Every structure is written in C-alpha cells, then in structure tokens.
Amino acid sequence: MSESPALTEVESYGVERIPDADRSATPFDLFRVAFGGANTFATCVLGAFPILFGLSFWQGLAATLLGVVGGSLILAPLAVFGPRNGTNNAVSSSAHLGVHGRIVGSFLSLLTAIAFFSISVWSSGDALVGGAHRLMGVPQNDGVFALAYGVFALLVLTVCVYGFRFMLFVNKIAVVAASTLFVLGFFAFAGDFDPGYQGVFPSASTTGFWPAFIGSALIVLSNPVSFGAFLGDWARYIPADTPRRKVVTAAFASQIATILPFFFGLATASIIAAKAAPYMDPSAPNYVGGLLAISPGWYFLPVCLLALIGGMSTGTTSLYGTGLDFSSVFPRFSRVRATLFVGVLSIGFIFLGRFAANLSQSISTFATLIITCTAPWMVIMVLGFVTRRGWYDPDSLQVFNRRQRGGRYWFHHGWNWRGMGAWLTSAVLALLFVNLPGQYVGPLGDLADGADLSLPVGLATAALLYLALLWLFPEPREVYGPEGPRLVRASDAPVPPITTEAGAPVPAVAEGV
C-alpha cells in the first residue's frame, strides 16, 4: 500500500474506482466522518421536535431512541458499497437502476446535500452570532449574519476542495471537541433540567399522542437516513478486503453515537419549553434563540465554539458529497471544478433563502421530502446487494462516466425499469402519505389520524415491489456473477459488450469483485 498523500494535497480522484494501493482509510475513519457530520446544532434542532410536538421528556426520549436505532439499521448496510466498488453509492446504483438510472441517486444526494448544507450554515451562523452578541455585544443585524454565513461557507468550501484527507482531519478534531462541549453543556443546564417535564400528553391513550410520537420518531430517523447516499463518498477509501461487518458496524455506531446531540437537544428543549416558552411556539420555533436565552453566561463561548465546529463538520460532509456527485453526473467536470461550481451555487442559495426569500423554515420541509424519496432508493440498493451476493463488475459501473455504452448494467438503453419502477412507485406513494402539519400534508396524509406514515410506506413498498419485479421479470444471469442470484430468478438474456459512443468495442479491464 502506498503512503497516504499529504493533508494539503488536493484530492485528484473523482468517481472513478479508487485503486487498492491508494485506499488507506479505516472503518474508524468512516465512523469519525459520519458521526462528526451529525454531531452538531442541526441534530440538536431535530432533537427538540419531540418537545415541540408536545411529548414529555421520557416520551420524547423513547421516540428519539426508536428513531436513532431504526435509522441506523436502515443506513448501516449502505456502507458496504464504497469498499466493494471503490466509488460512491450513486455510481454503484448503476448495477440496480441502470447506467443512466444511477442519476436518480446523484440528484437525490445533490438535493439532500444542498438542503443540509444550508441548514447547517443557517443554524450554526445564528448560534455564533447570538453567542457573540451575548458574550461581546456584537450587533445582531443582517450584515453580521451575512458575514457569519459567508465565513462558514467559504471555510467549508476550502476544506472540500482539498478533499477527503482534509475533511477527515477536520472531523477528527470535531468529534472530540463537539462531544466535549456537549458534555460541558449538561453541566451548564443540570440545575434547570427536569426529567419530569410532562408535555401535553399524560399517557399514550391521550388523543393525538401517537401521531406526535410517530412523527417525532420519523423526524429523528430522517437524520441517519440522510447519510445514505453519502456513505460511499467516504467509505470508498477503505480497502476492499476489509471485513464487511467492521464497515457496517462503523456506520451503525456513528449514528448510535448521535444520541449525544439528540439528547442535548431534547433536554434543553424541555428547559426552554418550561422557562422560555415563546421560543418553542410550534408556529415559529426558534431553538437556537431559546438555547441562548436559558444558557448561563459562562456557556456563551462554548456555544460559539459549537457553532463553528459543528458548522464546519456538517458543512464539509454535505458539500464534499455534492461536488463528488455533480462530477459523476457531468464527468467533464473534475471533482475540484464541480465542488467549486456547486459550492458557489449553494452559497448563493443560502443568502437568497435567508435574506430575500425567507426559505430558512421551508428548507427543512424540503429536506424531509427529499429523504422520503431517498429511503426507498436505499432499500433497493440493499436488496440489490443481497440478491447479487455482493458481486459487482466495477468496469461496467463506470460506463456512464466514460461515455460508453453496453456492459452488464446497460439493461434497456441504460435504464433498469425494475429498480426504477420500484423506486418511482414507492417514492410517489410515500409522498402521498407525508403529514407535516403547517408545512406539507399529502392527499393520504390524514388516513392514520394525523400520523406520518410516509417512511414506513415507502420502505415497505420498495422492498416488496422490487423483489416481486426481480422474480417476475428476471435480470440477465451475467449481472449476478459466478454464484448466481439469491432469492430471485435469472434469465439467459444476452448482455451487450461495452463499446464507445461511436460503436467501437472496449477491452474488458475487470471481471468483477
């Protein structure tokens, strides 16, 4: 294995397969990047939702644990694609959606990344300015907020341009520093915290409890699910021979560890609801403002540090994946150029959304809807991995990026209608069941007395429909490798050879892994 590149050396790889000799990351590195990206104020805001929905502290804790564990179980299997194929998950999805159908994963991750990058910059910027105002009297006006957002965004963009090694370095610091500051916060609020906070539902039999409980759990669950399209961005630097269980365990543990910021958000939200209730008004919630209002003076500096560290960590994990996926959809863009292009667009969106169009509230709704569409895609990826017995042809995965045609994953003109049909049907059906009161309620959103069933419906539909389509309309035997399919049938349909756009044959360079 070759020596790891220097920290300040700009990463040269895009979505092409990372050579085995250049893979020096470990499952623990994956843990640090994934946990670091979620160990922030943005996660605390999600942790406040159970209180915002009227649950007691203990009811909210139960919903939080259910959401974190459930989301972690859904996310963890997506970590196997990076080491296996040496590329990101959107490219790996070519095997199940077709070499053209993989753009679904690319655009889902692109939209999710921009949404969470915006949420990260806005929440961290607000916390930094608010803390600086309380600590040093810095004015709170549009100019100061714009400066905070701009500094955050440019710092994040710089880290992302340098690439994976620099991002990993940032998250090594962020994991320890942010965790320490959160633990310090427990001491800051220990005197005001009351685990007996009752909320508005005395028991589970109270009208409205189950919609609030399920909605809270699903909001928490959406946080780990949002990482599904990005795990391959980081895991592709892990050697292919790394035991699969270690990679899956690292991804699972990275989200279980987010209990720390979720608990912080839940506990402090209960204090805000008791001592500064206007900040928890469901029509205009302001968790960051409420946190500053109840914080002791000595904790203002840690709040500013949390804002800075958290904004850098979440922002880099979001924007790095954005640039990488954009370069995969438009291969003529290098990773660096794609990152700069999308970074500038994202920064423009942040300023437009905050100061011109007031999108800072609605962007959370947008992010939830995108995640609702991403969850069925994740199910198809995992079931595809199971039915293929983890076997992939890395050369055929790169057909789209090389502007070629044919190969094992060409299917019908580059589209696999089995995977595409299962994803599109389940995503549309899930959107019909979305129930976000005051934001978006789908046509079927009220069928369960106000409970949001979008994710369970999307996950179950994707699983059942995809397996049914694979059984009724078998894929070519060659896509399954030497051991054949698992759980489904295969056909003897021929697979076209890989050719250039002009029709010239391309010599095979790999037989699969």
Side-chain angles (χ1 to χ4, degrees):
M1 184 175 295
S2 62
E3 184 178 346
S4 298
L7 182 66
T8 54
E9 180 181 336
V10 176
E11 180 185 2
S12 60
Y13 289 115
V15 293
E16 67 271 23
R17 178 178 170 84
I18 305 296
D20 293 339
D22 291 339
R23 300 200 208 176
S24 57
T26 67
F28 187 56
D29 290 330
L30 175 63
F31 169 86
R32 286 188 289 200
V33 173
F35 176 46
N39 196 28
T40 65
F41 266 129
T43 303
C44 294
V45 172
L46 296 179
F49 270 89
I51 301 299
L52 192 65
F53 285 177
L55 298 181
S56 70
F57 171 78
W58 291 111
Q59 293 166 346
L61 182 60
T64 299
L65 292 173
L66 178 62
V68 169
V69 174
S72 301
L73 290 172
I74 296 171
L75 173 73
L78 270 293
V80 300
F81 292 95
R84 174 65 68 182
N85 296 324
T87 187
N88 71 341
N89 283 358
V91 173
S92 291
S93 73
S94 298
H96 310 297
L97 301 179
V99 297
H100 292 156
R102 51 64 62 91
I103 64 174
V104 170
S106 293
F107 277 106
L108 285 175
S109 59
L110 180 69
L111 295 174
T112 303
I114 291 176
F116 277 84
F117 179 48
S118 301
I119 292 172
S120 171
V121 171
W122 285 331
S123 61
S124 294
D126 290 350
L128 180 62
V129 173
H133 172 73
R134 297 288 299 272
L135 189 64
M136 299 177 289
V138 174
Q140 292 180 295
N141 53 50
D142 285 350
V144 175
F145 281 111
L147 178 62
Y149 298 154
V151 170
F152 267 129
L154 290 176
L155 286 174
V156 168
L157 182 57
T158 300
V159 173
C160 292
V161 165
Y162 277 105
F164 176 76
R165 303 294 171 188
F166 207 153
M167 183 177 69
L168 181 58
F169 172 74
V170 169
N171 279 278
K172 285 180 179 178
I173 298 174
V175 166
V176 176
S179 298
T180 301
L181 292 170
F182 277 128
V183 171
L184 190 62
F186 293 135
F187 290 99
F189 300 110
D192 295 321
F193 173 57
D194 177 14
Y197 173 79
Q198 290 299 309
V200 299
F201 303 108
S203 69
S205 61
T206 306
T207 302
F209 168 79
W210 285 111
F213 183 87
I214 294 173
S216 298
L218 291 179
I219 285 179
V220 172
L221 181 145
S222 70
N223 195 59
V225 168
S226 70
F227 285 88
F230 305 128
L231 281 185
D233 300 345
W234 318 317
R236 64 200 178 110
Y237 277 98
I238 298 174
D241 60 359
T242 303
R244 192 179 303 165
R245 59 180 176 78
K246 290 186 177 181
V247 179
V248 172
T249 299
F252 180 78
S254 71
Q255 299 308 305
I256 292 298
T258 62
I259 288 293
L260 177 63
F262 271 118
F263 184 87
F264 183 90
L266 179 70
T268 52
S270 68
I271 300 173
I272 296 170
K275 300 188 64 175
Y279 288 101
M280 296 301 289
D281 182 355
S283 62
N286 182 5
Y287 169 77
V288 173
L291 180 66
L292 292 169
I294 65 169
S295 294
W298 65 265
Y299 195 62
F300 293 151
L301 179 59
V303 165
C304 292
L305 292 175
L306 263 175
L308 179 61
I309 295 169
M312 286 289 293
S313 183
T314 301
T316 53
T317 52
S318 297
L319 192 58
Y320 176 79
T322 307
L324 191 63
D325 273 311
F326 193 81
S327 70
S328 73
V329 177
F330 301 98
R332 290 184 176 86
F333 271 39
S334 67
R335 186 198 63 81
V336 172
R337 290 178 179 177
T339 299
L340 288 170
F341 179 75
V342 176
V344 171
L345 287 180
S346 299
I347 292 172
F349 177 81
I350 288 170
F351 279 86
L352 177 67
R354 175 62 171 81
F355 298 111
N358 194 26
L359 296 176
S360 55
Q361 294 296 328
S362 59
I363 193 65
S364 60
T365 304
F366 174 70
T368 301
L369 296 179
I370 291 298
I371 290 167
T372 300
C373 295
T374 302
W377 178 85
M378 295 168 64
V379 169
I380 291 168
M381 288 285 287
V382 172
L383 288 179
F385 187 93
V386 172
T387 59
R388 303 285 176 83
R389 300 180 187 273
W391 188 94
Y392 292 89
D393 178 3
D395 196 37
S396 293
L397 289 176
Q398 297 292 333
V399 163
F400 179 91
N401 306 327
R402 298 170 181 165
R403 291 298 187 258
Q404 297 169 339
R405 303 169 65 86
R408 285 183 168 91
Y409 309 129
W410 185 249
F411 298 106
H412 187 74
H413 300 292
W415 302 88
N416 186 353
W417 59 268
R418 304 164 188 82
M420 288 292 298
W423 170 75
L424 185 60
T425 301
S426 55
V428 170
L429 188 60
L431 289 174
L432 296 178
F433 277 90
V434 170
N435 191 315
L436 298 173
Q439 300 179 62
Y440 172 81
V441 178
L444 303 179
D446 290 322
L447 287 185
D449 296 326
D452 188 329
L453 299 180
S454 56
L455 278 177
V457 167
L459 294 170
T461 303
L464 295 174
L465 183 57
Y466 183 52
L467 289 177
L469 289 174
L470 289 179
W471 180 263
L472 294 173
F473 306 97
E475 294 176 327
R477 192 173 305 278
E478 284 194 48
V479 306
Y480 291 103
E483 296 185 30
R486 178 190 285 132
L487 301 179
V488 297
R489 301 184 299 157
S491 73
D492 294 322
V495 169
I498 297 177
T499 63
T500 64
E501 288 185 326
V506 177
V509 297
E511 276 301 316
V513 293

